[in-house]
Amino acid sequence: MSLSPIEGVALAEIESGGDGDAPKRRGVVGRSPGQLAVARLRRDRTARVSGALLVFFVVVALIAPLLSMLYGVGPGEDFKGKLDRCCGMPLGYLGGISGDHWFGLEPGTGRDIFIRMVYGLRTSLLIAFSAALLSTALGVTLGVVAGYLGGWVDAVVTWITDLVLAMPFLIIALALMPTLVLRFYGERDAVPEAFGVAMLIAIFAVFGWTSTARLVRGQVITLREREFVEAARASGAGLGHMLFRQLLPNIWAPILVAFSLAVPQFITSEAALAFIGVGLTDETPSFGRMIYRSLDYLQTDPAYVFFPGVTIFALVLAFNLFGDALRDALDPKSSR
Amino acid sequence: MSETEPLLRVRGLAKHFPVRTGLRSKGLVRAVDGLDFDVRAGETLGLVGESGCGKTTTGRMLVRLLAPSAGTIEFAGRDITHARRRELRPLRQDLQIIFQDPYASLNPRHTVGRIVAMPLQVNGIDPPGGVRKRVQELLELVGLNPEHYNRYPHEFSGGQRQRVGIARALALRPKLIVADEPVSALDVSIQAQVINLLRDLQRDLDLAFVFIAHDLAVVRHFCQRVAVMYLGRIVEIGDRADIYERPQHPYTRALLSAIPDVTALGPAGRIRLAGDVPTPLDPPSGCRFRTRCWKAQDICATEEPALVARDGGRQATACHFPESGPVAAGGPAVPAESADPAGPAVPAVPAVPAVPAVPAGSAAPAESVAPAGSVGASGEEVAK
């Protein structure tokens, strides 16, 4: 019958070799898109170098107390005796670099720069990671819900996003931090370190989730109409299954990239806030505070600005490079 | 028609999409506008028609991915038109869908095992012997290697992916499967395999199918009954043999004549419909096909033909002037109609009275002669 070109083929049903794909290899194990991305990441030299640097920084931050013990100097310890008596400049060359004090001493306070930096790294990474985690979680939740549910939920979330984006971060931070500190502590009370750190994290989280929310919302909207989502709905899947089993696994890649690019952003923001005088107090070791203080000694003790400056530069660069490499590994089709 | 209670009974099913430009609502797209049909247990109903006629929308409404605007869907005697998700749950197991695009219908981040197990997991079903065993049985059933349980969709070809989609649809042991163009994204040899797989499954598991397709040859191969859709309505419904050999509706004839015949050279008995399908925003009055029908009369514009059964009630046609007699394959059955050209129905283009038959045989002119730009003209062209 000429009407049906398929019948001829159907009669001679082809047993395609591909369909069977008999066990050529023993124990066929599928490689997930995630495993493929890790393999690609391993081949990327930039990713390896920046990743190694990141691991180094994180390890140093984690074992800070151990380092302090081995080094024999605590973060709050001062060595005023090794300072110049008239103006508080460290004795010796290059800001007092010696076998006891590898990166020299802080002018004025006489604290050891190396151990301050190790602990500063700790503070920076703690703030940046917590803020990135919180803001990503917030952004992902809001974005997924807005994108999937649509309608008025979407409208409200989008509206809030726009509102938050419209608020000037620096000005709000400048206005908010001292006010909040006063709200909880008196004029003369000592503000505990943890409070300042928590405040910074909260402010970063509140302002940082918007871009993630937008990104995720857009991704979810494109995925929502895909047939595998409809297949799950046709099987009677509930909201939780749809969001966390069907949708989220497909947007891990952009979320991960957004996260890895948010961390350096928060590191620099923390430094910037410390620089303009809000945020952490002088007791808390932090890069921003160190660079802020070091500017007074730019002429007289350039070594003081050099070490924290170079470290924060390397840290942020490593994070950004790794984020870019991660993006390339997760989405090999995209070209730059 | 009702020896037994039908498994699926659809009455007056409609889906209207609102169209907005700016703030004002600009009207409704009547994607599906009043469908009536039944599907009995174990029966395969083909839903054919050209792109945009509402086939897919109908399929999605049947499995409640879209909420109908009007009408009722009864499944196994229960009205599921407005059932909520919890109420639907027991019925979901009996009513499943296979999608068109095997590349979009499988979650790329899940293994095949997880994909096939998803309906079980979502409905909290723990089959005897465990989920994994059931999934492997299903994979075997659809002709896949059960050892591929841990593989990801991107490692499979299009045909294999579609088999995975079929396995997923079978996981809950449904009674009815809506197959939304399940093979049109596959190449022809794979189409044959998948269609034969579906046919075997249908026979072995006594499944009912609503098989949506635009490929008439595939439908003929697979379906016992066929419904022809045009612009959101069924114009003709009947048994396969009746539809393919004795089509009564002019549109069905035109559709059938458009199937390419690889054994014949040149255009053989092709009915060319002039113009485009009218917009579903504002469908024509009366018979929806009248703007392109060569038999249209005054009555077609004023009175909407009902889908009525003729010849003993097996075949129903919505036409005031149904055709009769068989359509012989490649034979000269069709030119008979060229005798009554452009009736008074569409006086817009009274000229061009059926150019037909003049360009004797040659293929090239026949391709180009089609009354260009005469939208709504009733130009029927028959080049022998």
Side-chain angles (χ1 to χ4, degrees):
Chain A
M1 193 71 223
S2 56
L3 274 177
S4 155
I6 201 167
E7 249 158 8
V9 189
L11 288 176
E13 173 158 18
I14 308 147
E15 201 48 65
S16 88
D19 257 349
D21 200 5
K24 279 184 299 219
R25 293 170 285 164
R26 271 181 304 116
V28 260
V29 178
R31 290 214 291 174
S32 75
Q35 288 165 320
L36 290 174
V38 169
R40 274 193 292 270
L41 204 59
R42 283 222 178 116
R43 280 199 299 271
D44 186 347
R45 199 188 314 163
T46 318
R48 281 205 309 265
V49 172
S50 57
L53 205 55
L54 288 187
V55 168
F56 169 74
F57 279 129
V58 170
V59 167
V60 165
L62 284 177
I63 61 166
L66 186 70
L67 280 178
S68 163
M69 213 170 72
L70 293 175
Y71 187 60
V73 179
E77 229 173 309
D78 60 44
F79 300 89
K80 288 239 167 70
K82 293 184 181 171
L83 296 181
D84 178 349
R85 227 154 269 193
C86 86
C87 6
M89 297 304 288
L91 299 168
Y93 295 103
L94 288 173
I97 292 181
S98 65
D100 289 340
H101 306 291
W102 295 354
F103 291 173
L105 294 171
E106 284 184 354
T109 59
R111 292 179 298 211
D112 183 273
I113 293 182
F114 172 73
I115 210 70
R116 289 292 283 180
M117 271 174 52
V118 168
Y119 275 87
L121 198 61
R122 217 174 190 210
T123 319
S124 270
L125 288 179
L126 172 73
I127 290 176
F129 268 110
S130 324
L133 266 180
L134 274 179
S135 65
T136 306
L138 200 62
V140 167
T141 314
L142 286 170
V144 163
V145 168
Y148 182 69
L149 292 181
W152 66 267
V153 179
D154 186 23
V156 168
V157 172
T158 310
W159 187 77
I160 295 176
T161 313
D162 289 341
L163 198 75
V164 172
L165 275 175
M167 291 198 282
F169 168 67
L170 269 184
I171 294 175
I172 301 263
L174 266 174
L176 214 58
M177 289 288 289
T179 322
L180 281 174
V181 169
L182 276 184
R183 181 81 185 72
F184 287 99
Y185 299 96
E187 197 82 51
R188 284 166 218 287
D189 293 348
V191 180
E193 272 183 38
F195 180 76
V197 170
M199 282 287 307
L200 271 183
I201 293 174
I203 282 196
F204 287 146
V206 164
F207 280 91
W209 59 271
T210 48
S211 59
T212 314
R214 286 193 155 180
L215 178 89
V216 168
R217 173 180 169 268
Q219 296 276 331
V220 168
I221 285 176
T222 60
L223 283 175
R224 191 177 61 184
E225 307 298 325
R226 294 278 293 275
E227 286 179 343
F228 67 83
V229 177
E230 301 213 307
R233 207 180 311 153
S235 298
L239 186 65
H241 179 93
M242 300 301 282
L243 296 186
F244 296 106
R245 295 266 176 276
Q246 300 290 337
L247 292 174
L248 263 190
N250 284 289
I251 49 175
W252 273 129
I255 292 174
L256 218 58
V257 172
F259 177 82
S260 70
L261 294 178
V263 172
Q265 188 207 326
F266 288 135
I267 293 176
T268 44
S269 296
E270 184 267 320
L273 279 186
F275 194 82
I276 58 172
V278 284
L280 303 175
T281 53
D282 206 39
E283 282 81 59
T284 320
S286 108
F287 284 117
R289 278 316 280 192
M290 285 175 90
I291 294 174
Y292 172 60
R293 286 196 72 244
S294 74
L295 284 192
D296 292 341
Y297 303 94
L298 206 55
Q299 304 273 321
T300 46
D301 185 8
Y304 186 21
V305 74
F306 176 77
F307 290 112
V310 164
T311 312
I312 200 167
F313 168 76
L315 185 63
V316 171
L317 184 68
F319 262 112
N320 279 324
L321 286 179
F322 190 76
D324 276 343
L326 194 63
R327 187 208 317 265
D328 291 346
L330 289 169
D331 187 8
K333 274 171 283 185
S334 75
S335 55
R336 300 214 220 171
Chain B
M1 182 177 275
S2 56
E3 307 98 69
T4 53
E5 183 73 7
L7 183 64
L8 180 76
R9 181 203 294 269
V10 174
R11 290 291 174 268
L13 187 67
K15 180 70 192 175
H16 299 168
F17 294 103
V19 177
R20 288 197 188 86
T21 44
L23 286 174
R24 287 182 308 144
S25 145
K26 246 190 94 179
L28 295 172
V29 170
R30 296 161 196 279
V32 176
D33 205 13
L35 295 190
D36 301 324
F37 60 86
D38 294 331
V39 181
R40 274 163 295 180
E43 186 182 59
T44 49
L45 172 74
L47 216 52
V48 298
E50 59 198 288
S51 305
C53 73
K55 307 182 298 274
T56 297
T57 309
T58 307
R60 308 237 145 160
M61 280 193 285
L62 293 182
V63 293
R64 286 296 313 280
L65 283 173
L66 285 173
S69 308
T72 58
I73 304 168
E74 266 176 47
F75 184 78
R78 281 180 59 184
D79 187 350
I80 61 165
T81 322
H82 301 291
R84 306 194 69 86
R85 200 168 66 84
R86 291 201 184 284
E87 298 161 18
L88 273 179
R89 213 162 232 194
L91 289 170
R92 287 282 188 213
Q93 306 183 13
D94 294 337
L95 191 59
Q96 280 291 310
I97 182 165
I98 298 173
F99 290 95
Q100 172 176 7
D101 183 357
Y103 292 87
S105 66
L106 307 180
N107 192 335
R109 302 273 159 180
H110 287 179
T111 61
V112 164
R114 265 186 92 182
I115 290 170
V116 177
M118 180 271 289
L120 299 170
Q121 184 200 344
V122 156
N123 288 291
I125 296 169
D126 197 11
V131 171
R132 191 188 173 105
K133 185 161 163 284
R134 174 91 180 110
V135 168
Q136 288 182 333
E137 281 168 19
L138 285 165
L139 290 178
E140 204 153 10
L141 189 66
V142 298
L144 289 173
N145 186 345
E147 285 181 21
H148 292 175
Y149 185 88
N150 275 325
R151 289 200 173 185
Y152 286 86
H154 66 90
E155 297 171 275
F156 290 90
S157 70
Q160 289 173 316
R161 284 166 179 236
Q162 196 58 292
R163 285 171 193 262
V164 175
I166 293 168
R168 172 177 60 193
L170 291 174
L172 296 174
R173 301 179 194 274
K175 296 198 180 89
L176 177 87
I177 290 183
V178 175
D180 183 6
E181 310 219 10
V183 295
S184 44
L186 308 174
D187 70 49
V188 175
S189 62
I190 308 296
Q191 279 189 3
Q193 295 174 19
V194 172
I195 284 290
N196 286 340
L197 168 69
L198 287 176
R199 198 184 46 189
D200 294 344
L201 291 171
Q202 191 254 328
R203 283 179 189 157
D204 297 345
L205 308 177
D206 197 30
L207 292 167
F209 268 92
V210 173
F211 190 90
I212 298 165
H214 57 243
D215 187 335
L216 290 161
V218 169
V219 169
R220 178 173 209 174
H221 185 71
F222 187 72
C223 298
Q224 294 149 8
R225 293 179 72 232
V226 179
V228 181
M229 284 184 74
Y230 181 78
L231 207 57
R233 309 212 62 161
I234 290 179
V235 295
E236 184 160 16
I237 183 166
D239 286 352
R240 165 173 54 189
D242 291 333
I243 294 286
Y244 280 84
E245 278 149 34
R246 288 174 293 282
Q248 292 179 342
H249 198 281
Y251 180 66
T252 313
R253 292 215 162 202
L255 211 56
L256 288 173
S257 79
I259 300 175
D261 183 349
V262 289
T263 61
L265 281 174
R270 164 100 201 259
I271 302 172
R272 279 177 179 275
L273 294 175
D276 292 321
V277 182
T279 167
L281 259 174
D282 181 23
S285 64
C287 174
R288 298 193 165 201
F289 186 56
R290 73 176 161 86
T291 53
R292 304 169 78 195
C293 182
W294 60 94
K295 302 179 84 183
Q297 308 272 331
D298 285 340
I299 185 175
C300 300
T302 54
E303 202 174 306
E304 180 157 2
L307 190 65
V308 287
R310 288 182 185 85
D311 305 342
R314 294 179 61 79
Q315 186 176 8
T317 313
C319 184
H320 292 299
F321 308 102
E323 308 264 347
S324 55
V327 51
V334 191
E337 278 95 55
S338 66
D340 51 78
V346 190
V349 190
V352 201
V355 188
V358 187
S362 60
E367 293 295 326
S368 55
V369 156
S374 60
V375 177
S378 61
E380 174 220 353
E381 183 197 358
V382 181
K384 187 177 172 299

